[in-house]
Amino acid sequence: MKVGSGIIQGRRAEAALAAHAVEAAMTRARLTHAQAVLLYLSADFAHAPQAAITAAARAAHCTQVAGCTAAGVFSDEDWVLDAPAAAALVLGDGLSLRPSTADADPLLTFAAPNALDLHWLRRGGARIGGVSGDASGQGPYTVWSGSRLSQAGRCELALTGADLRVGVSQGIRPLSAPASIGHVEGHNVREVGGEAALSSLIRELPLSERSPERVPTHQLLAGIPYGAPERAVEEGRFHLLPLISANPDDRSVTVAGRLEAGLDLFWARRLPLAAAQDMGAMLDRLGQERADKPRFGLVFPCMGRGPSFYGGVDRDLQILKERFPRMPFAGFYGNGEIAHQDGANRLLQYSVVLGLGYDVAAPASLPDVLA
């Protein structure tokens, strides 16, 4: 397979940026025409992206151009926020993007926030992708496939010609061990591990944050492990729910999801160092599945990760480049991440979803794929 990436930044949202990004990617891939192009444009293009999409299709000499607008875009060469930019990943020599079928797997998925339908999201094969958007989270949003804007605000395409291995970095530091939920009412968790939920949370925080009005709910999450309980947290087998509020009146904690009594729950916090370590651990897990090197990467991080989270650098991308120095990849900072977890397609937050594309035929000497 031949894959190449390109990224171009400019002063204005001009169609030429998309064409130049594709041309740079074609040169790196040593292609004269592509089978498909993943094109990501900065939010500057959101009002009228069609000219840029058409320019990309002409530069690639193909009609299968898919992608969306986003708050920021990147490739293995650079990342761009707050400026007009285009990033492209061109696919050739056996790789292709095709209309989805009922059994398509993997299913590359892009959607605007106002087009998300959880019933649609859960249908079909294992999905990987992200949610379009801008830094405000308000819009406008645009998604395209087949070199045309999607009127439905979403698209799904089957990726063929590669063995795609998918990992998720949820980037948190556990604050407590999993404990059973004793009492819950709707979104309000009242009891965890035999004590009031707020008490169990506050005990894990620094002294300066233990008064209810100082609890940093914007950084805290509830983790729900799944599968075998042994090493579930260490292996990244958990769902995360953001905290909405800490309630001193009844000592409950409100989370962004409905839970049931009897489930295990642990408290967690978003921290840059923990996120970087988790990104490395996720790559370690993926590295156990194939001994050969991946040929390309599909990367979908939350806009809550990236340079603003890491103090001006994108440590997630740095870690990926350190692990696979010459691997082309491209992606965008989105309003949500899509991946297949715990037997279902799910919408994630504050995560990095990564797909590593390998040759379809694995070396005969490799052991069986690890779960």
Side-chain angles (χ1 to χ4, degrees), residues 36-40 53 63-68 97 108 110 144-147 155 157:
V37 178
L38 294 176
L39 176 70
Y40 308 122
I53 299 167
T63 58
Q64 185 50 276
V65 179
C68 63
L97 295 174
L108 188 60
F110 304 120
W144 50 85
S145 66
S147 301
C155 71
L157 295 162

Side-chain angles (χ1 to χ4, degrees), residues 84-355:
L89 192 73
V90 298
L91 311 177
D93 282 11
L95 286 170
S96 65
L97 295 174
R98 299 177 180 174
S100 64
T101 58
D103 59 349
D105 182 356
L107 204 55
L108 188 60
T109 304
F110 304 120
N114 55 7
L116 273 176
D117 178 333
L118 293 182
H119 294 291
W120 165 79
L121 186 69
R122 290 166 182 159
R123 291 200 304 266
R127 296 183 184 271
I128 175 174
V131 180
S132 167
D134 62 5
S136 71
Q138 301 300 315
Y141 313 102
T142 49
V143 173
W144 50 85
S145 66
S147 301
R148 294 184 179 275
L149 297 180
S150 168
Q151 298 304 311
R154 62 196 188 204
C155 71
E156 51 188 1
L157 295 162
L159 173 65
T160 63
D163 177 17
L164 196 70
R165 302 301 174 96
V166 178
V168 176
S169 167
Q170 300 194 77
I172 53 92
R173 172 173 293 168
L175 300 178
S176 64
S180 179
I181 299 174
H183 184 203
V184 61
E185 294 179 0
H187 293 264
N188 296 325
V189 180
R190 299 194 177 278
E191 182 183 296
V192 176
E195 64 178 319
L198 184 56
S199 299
S200 72
L201 170 62
I202 286 178
R203 186 180 62 249
E204 308 299 339
L205 300 177
L207 291 175
S208 61
E209 298 175 345
R210 290 188 178 181
S211 58
E213 65 275 8
R214 292 188 176 183
V215 173
T217 52
H218 65 289
Q219 295 181 345
L220 300 174
L221 306 104
I224 311 299
Y226 63 83
E230 295 80 11
R231 297 185 58 78
V233 177
E234 292 86 344
E235 294 174 1
R237 291 186 286 104
F238 53 82
H239 307 300
L240 290 175
L241 296 174
L243 266 59
I244 298 174
S245 64
N247 311 311
D249 291 343
D250 61 4
R251 310 297 289 175
S252 70
V253 176
T254 304
V255 301
R258 292 182 177 274
L259 298 173
E260 298 177 359
L263 291 175
D264 281 349
L265 177 150
F266 65 93
W267 304 115
R269 186 166 191 165
R270 299 181 62 235
L271 293 170
L273 179 59
Q277 292 172 340
D278 186 62
M279 185 70 178
M282 181 263 283
L283 290 174
D284 288 341
R285 292 193 294 271
L286 283 180
Q288 295 175 8
E289 298 185 6
R290 296 272 304 237
D292 53 334
K293 298 295 184 183
R295 306 296 295 273
F296 66 92
L298 307 176
V299 194
F300 303 102
C302 179
M303 65 174 65
R305 299 269 286 249
S308 59
F309 181 59
Y310 286 111
V313 298
D314 192 325
R315 282 291 294 138
D316 293 318
L317 300 188
Q318 284 183 341
I319 293 167
L320 182 58
K321 289 166 65 175
E322 290 165 2
R323 189 67 60 94
F324 304 115
R326 289 175 292 278
M327 182 187 73
F329 63 80
F332 64 92
Y333 301 104
N335 279 336
E337 305 77 61
I338 296 168
H340 193 81
Q341 278 191 318
D342 192 19
N345 293 314
R346 301 184 184 275
L347 180 64
L348 309 175
Q349 296 289 337
Y350 306 126
S351 301
V352 176
V353 173
L354 170 66

